[in-house]
Amino acid sequence: MTEAVYLEVIVKAENAKKAGRRVSVSGMLKYLGVSRSGYATWKRHMPSDTAKRRKLLKEKIKKIYDNSHQNYGAPKITRELRKTGENVSERTVGKYMKQMGIKAQWIRPWTVTTKDSDFSNELQNILDEQFNP
């Protein structure tokens, strides 16, 4: 929640600078009900190694997913990642796919439900229309 507020403050401050206006960031923070120290801490924050790896993995997953014409699911994507040397579990790939809002396409197995159009031509009249014994 607060991250969205911080991003809003940054965008508004940049737009004001481009327009040549002076803007008070602390005034905006006060108006939005966010502390200046929290904003400063958030601005200096560096992503952790885990967050960087997570972002990199999500990019790789998205690339493999798009290259498969959006057909591959977590098991196949995991196999592809392992071929490239990534050590990742299928469950992790599935969780990341769910977070990104992507899923494999499932194609229902095809079964014949109708007769051929020339079905009647193949039948032979065995009784010769003599229905009385």
Side-chain angles (χ1 to χ4, degrees):
M1 170 66 188
T2 55
E3 184 170 349
V5 173
Y6 294 151
L7 289 172
E8 184 180 347
V9 169
I10 287 178
V11 169
K12 286 186 179 186
E14 287 175 357
N15 289 340
K17 284 181 183 178
K18 286 179 185 175
R21 292 179 292 151
R22 284 183 35 186
V23 71
S24 170
V25 174
S26 58
M28 273 195 284
L29 292 172
K30 187 175 183 180
Y31 176 75
L32 294 171
V34 182
S35 68
R36 289 184 341 188
S37 62
Y39 174 73
T41 304
W42 174 81
K43 203 169 176 183
R44 279 186 270 113
H45 175 72
M46 295 297 291
S48 65
D49 292 338
T50 307
K52 290 177 187 175
R53 182 173 188 266
R54 186 178 300 124
K55 184 178 178 184
L56 183 67
L57 262 176
K58 285 183 178 182
E59 289 171 1
K60 287 181 179 181
I61 288 170
K62 182 71 174 157
K63 184 178 177 185
I64 292 170
Y65 180 74
D66 289 338
N67 288 343
S68 73
H69 302 289
Q70 301 176 347
N71 283 327
Y72 283 4
K76 286 186 179 178
I77 291 176
T78 304
R79 262 185 257 130
E80 293 293 323
L81 287 171
R82 286 182 180 162
K83 284 180 186 176
T84 62
E86 287 289 337
N87 186 16
V88 64
S89 72
E90 186 178 316
R91 181 181 167 140
T92 303
V93 172
K95 284 196 311 189
Y96 291 165
M97 287 177 69
K98 192 169 191 172
Q99 288 172 4
M100 292 186 295
I102 60 176
K103 61 182 179 178
Q105 293 180 4
W106 183 73
I107 300 171
R108 183 174 297 188
W110 182 70
T111 56
V112 178
T113 57
T114 57
K115 306 285 188 207
D116 288 338
S117 60
D118 61 333
F119 180 71
S120 59
N121 296 339
E122 292 176 5
L123 296 177
Q124 296 177 4
N125 189 358
I126 299 171
L127 297 176
D128 242 356
E129 295 184 14
Q130 297 173 5
F131 299 110
N132 294 331

